[in-house]
């Protein structure tokens, strides 16, 4: 078996399953479940250390009928043109392995020529940090991991549309927001991103939205707006909410699209 091994367990998130589950349960207590006016097909989730960015929107999604979760995130460590899609057999997490849907992965690769498999891209924290949440909320689902590099958001739109139209698939777009500004400046910049997401306004992201996963976010907004979807902002915070340091913060957003 050719497994996608953990690379940031013990740093970005605990390397112990019970500790992860306890953290997620604590996040759930503070992030109350609520009704949504639409059926979520995608979520935007942050990818920092869980103490900062664990307030995700996963718990608001109906798990019934979800057979696979496609996680798309930016490459932080390795340069690539296009995007790499994992052909590993399983994805290791502290709570057990998740089967990778290689059939679905190869279907996408056959349709979109910007997709290839480069194993060096798959030690990426933007996608890996999502997997313990996937394992917790969707224990029977398989996963697909896509890590992108130099590519336009427009090029990703057809693939995002394909994923969104699959009723058995949930799409996760991984991104953090602004980095290393004062809390006041970060909130000003992040508000641009939040408004763009809430209104599914691709053009509004050009007015100063800063996000490491902006390419993925823009692709999702364009595809969602084109197909008549809706959006709901679930949570916004900065690293200062956990650390107390307001001098240099990172912004985090969780949102649902459907």
């Amino acid at each position: 078996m050719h497994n996608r091994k953990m690379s940031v367990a013990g740093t970005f998130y605990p390397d112990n399953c019970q500790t992860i589950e306890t953290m997620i349960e604590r996040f759930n207590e503070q992030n109350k479940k609520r009704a949504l006016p639409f059926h979520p097909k995608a979520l935007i989730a942050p990818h920092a250390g869980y103490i900062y960015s664990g307030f995700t929107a996963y718990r608001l999604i109906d798990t019934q009928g979800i057979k696979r979760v496609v996680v798309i995130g930016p490459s932080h460590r390795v340069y690539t043109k296009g995007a790499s899609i994992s052909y590993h057999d399983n994805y290791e997490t502290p709570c057990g392995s998740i089967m990778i849907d290689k059939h679905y992965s190869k279907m996408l690769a056959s349709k979109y020529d910007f997709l290839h498999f480069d194993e060096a891209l798959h030690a990426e924290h933007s996608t890996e940090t999502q997997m313990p949440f996937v394992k917790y909320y969707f224990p029977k689902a398989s996963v697909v991991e896509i890590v992108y590099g130099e590519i336009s958001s427009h090029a990703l739109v057809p693939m995002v549309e394909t994923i969104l139209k699959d009723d058995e698939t949930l799409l996760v777009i991984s991104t953090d927001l602004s980095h290393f500004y004062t809390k006041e400046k970060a909130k000003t910049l992040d508000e641009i991103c939040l408004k763009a997401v809430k209104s599914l306004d691709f053009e509004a992201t050009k007015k100063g939205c800063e996000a490491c996963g902006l390419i993925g976010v823009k692709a999702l907004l364009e595809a969602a707006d084109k197909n008549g979807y809706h959006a709901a902002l679930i949570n916004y915070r900065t690293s200062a909410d956990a650390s107390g340091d307001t001098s240099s913060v990172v912004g985090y957003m969780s949102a649902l699209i459907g």
Side-chain angles (χ1 to χ4, degrees):
M1 299 293 282
H2 192 201
N3 292 345
R4 198 294 200 180
K5 297 188 180 298
M6 296 174 283
S7 61
V8 294
T11 54
F12 279 76
Y13 60 89
D15 56 8
N16 175 273
C17 182
Q18 184 175 354
T19 305
I20 290 173
E21 292 179 343
T22 298
M23 289 184 79
I24 292 176
E25 288 162 9
R26 193 179 309 128
F27 296 141
N28 286 345
E29 290 172 3
Q30 299 177 59
N31 195 18
K32 297 299 182 183
K33 200 158 188 177
R34 57 173 164 145
L36 294 167
F38 58 83
H39 177 67
K41 291 291 300 168
L43 66 90
I44 299 172
H47 55 241
Y50 282 10
I51 61 169
Y52 302 108
S53 65
F55 295 87
T56 67
Y58 284 98
R59 75 177 310 225
L60 300 181
I61 298 169
D62 183 1
T63 61
Q64 291 295 110
I66 300 296
K67 292 188 176 180
R68 75 185 61 81
V69 180
V70 178
V71 180
I72 300 177
S75 177
H76 288 80
R77 297 173 51 258
V78 180
Y79 172 80
T80 191
K81 285 190 174 181
S84 179
I85 189 164
S86 176
Y87 287 166
H88 293 100
D89 295 305
N90 295 288
Y91 206 115
E92 294 181 358
T93 83
C95 295
S97 294
I98 310 171
M99 187 182 76
I100 289 177
D101 192 333
K102 286 169 58 173
H103 177 78
Y104 194 85
S105 298
K106 290 182 177 181
M107 179 277 291
L108 290 176
S110 71
K111 288 173 65 78
Y112 304 106
D113 59 11
F114 57 79
L115 289 172
H116 59 279
F117 174 47
D118 180 351
E119 188 160 9
L121 271 292
H122 295 276
E124 172 55 49
H125 73 269
S126 71
T127 46
E128 182 177 331
T129 50
Q130 307 304 323
M131 298 304 173
F133 286 101
V134 173
K135 181 69 173 175
Y136 181 90
Y137 289 106
F138 305 93
K140 296 181 180 179
S142 60
V143 293
V144 173
E145 180 186 40
I146 300 172
V147 181
Y148 63 84
E150 183 181 336
I151 190 170
S152 75
S153 62
H154 295 299
L156 290 176
V157 170
M159 181 185 73
V160 169
E161 288 184 292
T162 295
I163 297 167
L164 289 174
K165 290 174 182 176
D166 187 332
D167 290 336
E168 296 179 333
T169 301
L170 173 71
L171 173 62
V172 177
I173 299 293
S174 180
T175 189
D176 293 335
L177 298 181
S178 65
H179 284 59
F180 311 133
Y181 296 100
T182 65
K183 183 177 180 180
E184 183 179 0
K185 176 66 173 177
K187 286 194 168 186
T188 299
L189 292 171
D190 294 345
E191 184 62 27
I192 299 168
C193 306
L194 300 179
K195 287 181 177 178
V197 169
K198 284 188 284 188
S199 57
L200 297 179
D201 189 346
F202 164 83
E203 293 295 331
T205 62
K206 301 175 183 179
K207 298 177 181 178
C209 172
E210 293 188 14
C212 55
L214 186 57
I215 290 170
V217 172
K218 288 163 69 174
L220 175 59
L221 296 186
E222 188 173 350
D225 181 53
K226 181 179 174 183
N227 289 278
Y229 286 71
H230 304 279
L233 180 65
I234 304 303
N235 193 278
Y236 169 72
R237 61 188 53 235
T238 72
S239 55
D241 291 302
S243 70
D245 179 4
T246 61
S247 65
S248 180
V249 309
V250 178
Y252 310 113
M253 164 183 60
S254 290
L256 290 170
I257 312 298

